[in-house]
Amino acid sequence: MTDTAETPRQEAQNLASPDHHLTPSGIILGGIGGLFLVAMMGLTVCDVVGRYVFNAPIKGAGELTEILLCAVIFLGLGAVSLAENHVTVDLLTDKFPDAVQPFRQALTGLLSGVILVVVAWRIWIYAGQIGGYGGSTTSLSIPIAPLGYFCAICALIGGLITAFLPLKRLYLQLSHKGQN
Amino acid sequence: MEHWPVGMAILVVLLFLGVPIAFALASVGLVGVVAIIGWSPSLALLGSVFFDNGRDYSLSVLPLFLMMGNFVVQSGIARELYESAYAWLRHRKGGLAIATVVACGAFSSVCGSSLATAATMTKIALPSMRRYGYPDQLSTAAIAAGGTLGILIPPSVILVFYGILTQQDIGRLFLAGLIPGVIGVIGYSIAVRLSMRFQGIDLQTESKLPLMDRIRALKSTAGALALFTFVMGGIYLGVFTPTESAGMGAAGAFVLVILKRQFSVQATLAVLFDTMKTTAMMFFILFGALTFTNYVNMSGMTQDIQSLITGLTNSPLGFIVIVLCIYLALGCVLESLSMIMLTVPVFYPIAANLGIDLIWFGIFVVMVTEISYITPPVGMNAFVLRSVVPDVRLGTIFKGLVPFVFMDVLRIALLTAFPVLVLFLT
């Protein structure tokens, strides 16, 4: 089993040779997230140009940007989790014996997964509270609760992926050993 | 009750075990806050830290500046910057290495990341320097050091984070980074000459280009210059806010990609996917750091460290020296962004209390962070270089970097002695 958890060294590697070949999940996530990012950029440009040239800024550009930002962050969590791209300190972990690595990764993955699931749970409850008093954005009156539920679901999926991938590796390694 | 040392110890253990920085910070922060104010309020706090900060309008600068940097890389203007810098410097001793430093500085003015600057310049500058017989020790060091300018010369992702954590004006921080950045370029150019003298490197130079040819060479830098002037000029004149400047800059960089005929759907999708991933990565570290900061504030850690430091010294200068030492030590272990997120919330109230200007302090923090990019064992820029050219040993790169780190320390001393160099543009 190869160690796919991201370390600064590997991150450096990725930076040095950007991979233009995306996996199917990358194309879908990148497509949707990319659309959001381009929309954020376009909103700013139209808002500034509208303000100066047509004396008409876009109504609610700021709050649309906020919603898009939040969606990009939590959508991106899925992509980061799938690639196991989270930033870690690899000063000591590289020096652990190979036999220990799958157990170490399962442990750190489990802890990360648990905290993400707790975050998901709390955002879900928070979104419920916001929905309870009909919380919405100031000028466009977009309800905020659905965004909260979306983020909670993303965090939950991210947490499950983060815990599952290293556990699966550990399981495969153990069962492989059992066969020998 | 003092339990923050226990919290810190657990955090260090988790980090060394390889728990992602974001989640190590969040879990220690959450458990710590629970220990102080109990379950129910701390869990409620957790939800709002992650959800409310994710919808903070001023934070939208981050993905947009990241996108701008990624588009600038895609546009391929780095090569043109390098070629025109060389046209002006080719008759000087070590001209190629000095041109590398200058091109890094120019590239930094449109890209906010040190790693992206180092990675891009390695691919362009290293082959040329090898062709002209520059030893790897000098050429890799020039690129690694020049790359650090990415976070000092605006736009800068690190300065954005600093501004958010300390509630300082991002536009002012950007303007403050300009002159220290230029001093950095000059310092690294001197470091190139120092290396040549001490390592006994003798390199042949080319004949001086006629003035007209040199001026003609500047033409190809127009795109980068226009983008920089557009973004910084817009902030300086107040045409748009720093937040808006990120969106405008990203759009400008995208236009550059199209003008340079580098557009392709595949590459653009990869840029967007990459931007989204980096955004998520950085924001979750930010959320973790904010959760942890709640704990730091409630546990009285800031006050304890403050009284510890004021027990040692009462002068701003003494404080700066202590902070410098702490950062140099932490830089050996932590990657730069995490280092900033962990320490700035603790240090900036102390700095403010001592009457230190927080804009100046931000530039100081960034310059110290630059050193951590190029010093072992966790020197990210050296790692980047190493992964582009695996045949160079890390030890060679770090050895070559010694004169550059020396100039960095000199620059920090200079800007500490004359803070006006940082502040007079703002």
PDB file of all heavy atoms in Angstrom, chain B residues 24-48:
ATOM      1  N   ALA B  24      -6.320  19.021  14.064  1.00  0.00           N
ATOM      2  CA  ALA B  24      -5.632  19.034  15.359  1.00  0.00           C
ATOM      3  C   ALA B  24      -6.009  20.310  16.105  1.00  0.00           C
ATOM      4  O   ALA B  24      -6.356  20.277  17.295  1.00  0.00           O
ATOM      5  CB  ALA B  24      -4.125  18.951  15.154  1.00  0.00           C
ATOM      6  N   LEU B  25      -5.975  21.438  15.402  1.00  0.00           N
ATOM      7  CA  LEU B  25      -6.329  22.718  16.020  1.00  0.00           C
ATOM      8  C   LEU B  25      -7.783  22.710  16.483  1.00  0.00           C
ATOM      9  O   LEU B  25      -8.104  23.123  17.601  1.00  0.00           O
ATOM     10  CB  LEU B  25      -6.116  23.863  15.027  1.00  0.00           C
ATOM     11  CG  LEU B  25      -4.670  24.289  14.765  1.00  0.00           C
ATOM     12  CD1 LEU B  25      -4.616  25.227  13.561  1.00  0.00           C
ATOM     13  CD2 LEU B  25      -4.093  24.982  15.984  1.00  0.00           C
ATOM     14  N   ALA B  26      -8.675  22.230  15.595  1.00  0.00           N
ATOM     15  CA  ALA B  26     -10.097  22.255  15.921  1.00  0.00           C
ATOM     16  C   ALA B  26     -10.402  21.364  17.114  1.00  0.00           C
ATOM     17  O   ALA B  26     -11.155  21.758  18.016  1.00  0.00           O
ATOM     18  CB  ALA B  26     -10.928  21.829  14.706  1.00  0.00           C
ATOM     19  N   SER B  27      -9.813  20.150  17.159  1.00  0.00           N
ATOM     20  CA  SER B  27     -10.176  19.245  18.256  1.00  0.00           C
ATOM     21  C   SER B  27      -9.627  19.738  19.584  1.00  0.00           C
ATOM     22  O   SER B  27     -10.339  19.736  20.588  1.00  0.00           O
ATOM     23  CB  SER B  27      -9.743  17.808  17.945  1.00  0.00           C
ATOM     24  OG  SER B  27      -8.418  17.770  17.520  1.00  0.00           O
ATOM     25  N   VAL B  28      -8.359  20.197  19.604  1.00  0.00           N
ATOM     26  CA  VAL B  28      -7.818  20.710  20.858  1.00  0.00           C
ATOM     27  C   VAL B  28      -8.589  21.957  21.274  1.00  0.00           C
ATOM     28  O   VAL B  28      -8.941  22.119  22.453  1.00  0.00           O
ATOM     29  CB  VAL B  28      -6.307  21.020  20.733  1.00  0.00           C
ATOM     30  CG1 VAL B  28      -5.803  21.718  21.981  1.00  0.00           C
ATOM     31  CG2 VAL B  28      -5.529  19.748  20.491  1.00  0.00           C
ATOM     32  N   GLY B  29      -8.884  22.834  20.323  1.00  0.00           N
ATOM     33  CA  GLY B  29      -9.650  24.039  20.629  1.00  0.00           C
ATOM     34  C   GLY B  29     -11.002  23.695  21.210  1.00  0.00           C
ATOM     35  O   GLY B  29     -11.415  24.240  22.243  1.00  0.00           O
ATOM     36  N   LEU B  30     -11.703  22.731  20.561  1.00  0.00           N
ATOM     37  CA  LEU B  30     -13.049  22.372  21.033  1.00  0.00           C
ATOM     38  C   LEU B  30     -12.997  21.785  22.441  1.00  0.00           C
ATOM     39  O   LEU B  30     -13.724  22.241  23.338  1.00  0.00           O
ATOM     40  CB  LEU B  30     -13.683  21.361  20.063  1.00  0.00           C
ATOM     41  CG  LEU B  30     -15.042  20.812  20.502  1.00  0.00           C
ATOM     42  CD1 LEU B  30     -16.078  21.932  20.524  1.00  0.00           C
ATOM     43  CD2 LEU B  30     -15.508  19.691  19.597  1.00  0.00           C
ATOM     44  N   VAL B  31     -12.133  20.793  22.653  1.00  0.00           N
ATOM     45  CA  VAL B  31     -12.060  20.155  23.968  1.00  0.00           C
ATOM     46  C   VAL B  31     -11.657  21.179  25.029  1.00  0.00           C
ATOM     47  O   VAL B  31     -12.207  21.202  26.138  1.00  0.00           O
ATOM     48  CB  VAL B  31     -11.072  18.966  23.939  1.00  0.00           C
ATOM     49  CG1 VAL B  31     -10.879  18.403  25.336  1.00  0.00           C
ATOM     50  CG2 VAL B  31     -11.585  17.881  23.003  1.00  0.00           C
ATOM     51  N   GLY B  32     -10.707  22.053  24.681  1.00  0.00           N
ATOM     52  CA  GLY B  32     -10.275  23.076  25.629  1.00  0.00           C
ATOM     53  C   GLY B  32     -11.409  24.008  26.018  1.00  0.00           C
ATOM     54  O   GLY B  32     -11.604  24.311  27.201  1.00  0.00           O
ATOM     55  N   VAL B  33     -12.177  24.449  25.031  1.00  0.00           N
ATOM     56  CA  VAL B  33     -13.292  25.360  25.318  1.00  0.00           C
ATOM     57  C   VAL B  33     -14.355  24.643  26.150  1.00  0.00           C
ATOM     58  O   VAL B  33     -14.921  25.223  27.080  1.00  0.00           O
ATOM     59  CB  VAL B  33     -13.885  25.920  24.007  1.00  0.00           C
ATOM     60  CG1 VAL B  33     -15.126  26.747  24.298  1.00  0.00           C
ATOM     61  CG2 VAL B  33     -12.866  26.779  23.284  1.00  0.00           C
ATOM     62  N   VAL B  34     -14.583  23.365  25.837  1.00  0.00           N
ATOM     63  CA  VAL B  34     -15.537  22.587  26.631  1.00  0.00           C
ATOM     64  C   VAL B  34     -15.101  22.559  28.098  1.00  0.00           C
ATOM     65  O   VAL B  34     -15.910  22.738  29.019  1.00  0.00           O
ATOM     66  CB  VAL B  34     -15.662  21.143  26.080  1.00  0.00           C
ATOM     67  CG1 VAL B  34     -16.387  20.247  27.084  1.00  0.00           C
ATOM     68  CG2 VAL B  34     -16.392  21.143  24.748  1.00  0.00           C
ATOM     69  N   ALA B  35     -13.790  22.382  28.298  1.00  0.00           N
ATOM     70  CA  ALA B  35     -13.285  22.316  29.674  1.00  0.00           C
ATOM     71  C   ALA B  35     -13.513  23.639  30.414  1.00  0.00           C
ATOM     72  O   ALA B  35     -13.598  23.653  31.635  1.00  0.00           O
ATOM     73  CB  ALA B  35     -11.794  21.974  29.660  1.00  0.00           C
ATOM     74  N   ILE B  36     -13.601  24.725  29.678  1.00  0.00           N
ATOM     75  CA  ILE B  36     -13.751  26.029  30.341  1.00  0.00           C
ATOM     76  C   ILE B  36     -15.213  26.444  30.480  1.00  0.00           C
ATOM     77  O   ILE B  36     -15.649  26.848  31.556  1.00  0.00           O
ATOM     78  CB  ILE B  36     -12.959  27.113  29.575  1.00  0.00           C
ATOM     79  CG1 ILE B  36     -11.464  26.771  29.601  1.00  0.00           C
ATOM     80  CG2 ILE B  36     -13.176  28.488  30.217  1.00  0.00           C
ATOM     81  CD1 ILE B  36     -10.628  27.661  28.727  1.00  0.00           C
ATOM     82  N   ILE B  37     -15.990  26.344  29.386  1.00  0.00           N
ATOM     83  CA  ILE B  37     -17.370  26.868  29.474  1.00  0.00           C
ATOM     84  C   ILE B  37     -18.432  25.782  29.359  1.00  0.00           C
ATOM     85  O   ILE B  37     -19.620  26.092  29.341  1.00  0.00           O
ATOM     86  CB  ILE B  37     -17.636  27.968  28.409  1.00  0.00           C
ATOM     87  CG1 ILE B  37     -17.446  27.419  26.998  1.00  0.00           C
ATOM     88  CG2 ILE B  37     -16.753  29.186  28.645  1.00  0.00           C
ATOM     89  CD1 ILE B  37     -17.884  28.396  25.919  1.00  0.00           C
ATOM     90  N   GLY B  38     -18.040  24.512  29.288  1.00  0.00           N
ATOM     91  CA  GLY B  38     -19.033  23.450  29.255  1.00  0.00           C
ATOM     92  C   GLY B  38     -19.482  23.083  27.850  1.00  0.00           C
ATOM     93  O   GLY B  38     -19.196  23.785  26.879  1.00  0.00           O
ATOM     94  N   TRP B  39     -20.210  21.958  27.735  1.00  0.00           N
ATOM     95  CA  TRP B  39     -20.561  21.368  26.447  1.00  0.00           C
ATOM     96  C   TRP B  39     -21.408  22.258  25.565  1.00  0.00           C
ATOM     97  O   TRP B  39     -21.053  22.556  24.430  1.00  0.00           O
ATOM     98  CB  TRP B  39     -21.315  20.043  26.665  1.00  0.00           C
ATOM     99  CG  TRP B  39     -20.396  18.912  26.932  1.00  0.00           C
ATOM    100  CD1 TRP B  39     -20.171  18.308  28.134  1.00  0.00           C
ATOM    101  CD2 TRP B  39     -19.543  18.255  25.990  1.00  0.00           C
ATOM    102  NE1 TRP B  39     -19.231  17.324  28.003  1.00  0.00           N
ATOM    103  CE2 TRP B  39     -18.830  17.261  26.690  1.00  0.00           C
ATOM    104  CE3 TRP B  39     -19.314  18.411  24.621  1.00  0.00           C
ATOM    105  CZ2 TRP B  39     -17.906  16.425  26.073  1.00  0.00           C
ATOM    106  CZ3 TRP B  39     -18.398  17.582  24.006  1.00  0.00           C
ATOM    107  CH2 TRP B  39     -17.707  16.607  24.725  1.00  0.00           C
ATOM    108  N   SER B  40     -22.544  22.663  26.114  1.00  0.00           N
ATOM    109  CA  SER B  40     -23.564  23.243  25.248  1.00  0.00           C
ATOM    110  C   SER B  40     -23.098  24.528  24.557  1.00  0.00           C
ATOM    111  O   SER B  40     -23.187  24.638  23.326  1.00  0.00           O
ATOM    112  CB  SER B  40     -24.824  23.447  26.086  1.00  0.00           C
ATOM    113  OG  SER B  40     -25.798  24.007  25.317  1.00  0.00           O
ATOM    114  N   PRO B  41     -22.556  25.511  25.308  1.00  0.00           N
ATOM    115  CA  PRO B  41     -22.117  26.727  24.608  1.00  0.00           C
ATOM    116  C   PRO B  41     -20.942  26.490  23.663  1.00  0.00           C
ATOM    117  O   PRO B  41     -20.878  27.105  22.596  1.00  0.00           O
ATOM    118  CB  PRO B  41     -21.719  27.681  25.737  1.00  0.00           C
ATOM    119  CG  PRO B  41     -21.658  26.884  26.968  1.00  0.00           C
ATOM    120  CD  PRO B  41     -22.448  25.641  26.772  1.00  0.00           C
ATOM    121  N   SER B  42     -20.040  25.561  24.040  1.00  0.00           N
ATOM    122  CA  SER B  42     -18.877  25.384  23.159  1.00  0.00           C
ATOM    123  C   SER B  42     -19.262  24.702  21.854  1.00  0.00           C
ATOM    124  O   SER B  42     -18.701  25.010  20.801  1.00  0.00           O
ATOM    125  CB  SER B  42     -17.744  24.615  23.849  1.00  0.00           C
ATOM    126  OG  SER B  42     -18.210  23.805  24.872  1.00  0.00           O
ATOM    127  N   LEU B  43     -20.221  23.777  21.912  1.00  0.00           N
ATOM    128  CA  LEU B  43     -20.652  23.139  20.669  1.00  0.00           C
ATOM    129  C   LEU B  43     -21.359  24.150  19.765  1.00  0.00           C
ATOM    130  O   LEU B  43     -21.186  24.138  18.544  1.00  0.00           O
ATOM    131  CB  LEU B  43     -21.573  21.955  20.976  1.00  0.00           C
ATOM    132  CG  LEU B  43     -20.830  20.692  21.436  1.00  0.00           C
ATOM    133  CD1 LEU B  43     -21.827  19.641  21.903  1.00  0.00           C
ATOM    134  CD2 LEU B  43     -19.965  20.120  20.314  1.00  0.00           C
ATOM    135  N   ALA B  44     -22.145  25.036  20.384  1.00  0.00           N
ATOM    136  CA  ALA B  44     -22.824  26.069  19.599  1.00  0.00           C
ATOM    137  C   ALA B  44     -21.799  26.981  18.931  1.00  0.00           C
ATOM    138  O   ALA B  44     -21.930  27.347  17.761  1.00  0.00           O
ATOM    139  CB  ALA B  44     -23.760  26.873  20.495  1.00  0.00           C
ATOM    140  N   LEU B  45     -20.736  27.285  19.706  1.00  0.00           N
ATOM    141  CA  LEU B  45     -19.667  28.138  19.186  1.00  0.00           C
ATOM    142  C   LEU B  45     -19.014  27.492  17.968  1.00  0.00           C
ATOM    143  O   LEU B  45     -18.738  28.147  16.964  1.00  0.00           O
ATOM    144  CB  LEU B  45     -18.641  28.349  20.300  1.00  0.00           C
ATOM    145  CG  LEU B  45     -17.646  29.481  20.135  1.00  0.00           C
ATOM    146  CD1 LEU B  45     -18.383  30.802  20.061  1.00  0.00           C
ATOM    147  CD2 LEU B  45     -16.672  29.503  21.319  1.00  0.00           C
ATOM    148  N   LEU B  46     -18.801  26.170  18.036  1.00  0.00           N
ATOM    149  CA  LEU B  46     -18.134  25.449  16.950  1.00  0.00           C
ATOM    150  C   LEU B  46     -18.905  25.619  15.644  1.00  0.00           C
ATOM    151  O   LEU B  46     -18.331  25.933  14.602  1.00  0.00           O
ATOM    152  CB  LEU B  46     -18.020  23.961  17.307  1.00  0.00           C
ATOM    153  CG  LEU B  46     -17.251  23.104  16.313  1.00  0.00           C
ATOM    154  CD1 LEU B  46     -15.764  23.364  16.420  1.00  0.00           C
ATOM    155  CD2 LEU B  46     -17.539  21.625  16.523  1.00  0.00           C
ATOM    156  N   GLY B  47     -20.226  25.414  15.721  1.00  0.00           N
ATOM    157  CA  GLY B  47     -21.045  25.544  14.516  1.00  0.00           C
ATOM    158  C   GLY B  47     -20.923  26.929  13.906  1.00  0.00           C
ATOM    159  O   GLY B  47     -20.803  27.073  12.694  1.00  0.00           O
ATOM    160  N   SER B  48     -20.925  27.951  14.774  1.00  0.00           N
ATOM    161  CA  SER B  48     -20.907  29.292  14.206  1.00  0.00           C
ATOM    162  C   SER B  48     -19.517  29.663  13.695  1.00  0.00           C
ATOM    163  O   SER B  48     -19.395  30.395  12.717  1.00  0.00           O
ATOM    164  CB  SER B  48     -21.422  30.312  15.227  1.00  0.00           C
ATOM    165  OG  SER B  48     -20.401  30.716  16.084  1.00  0.00           O
TER     166      SER B  48
END
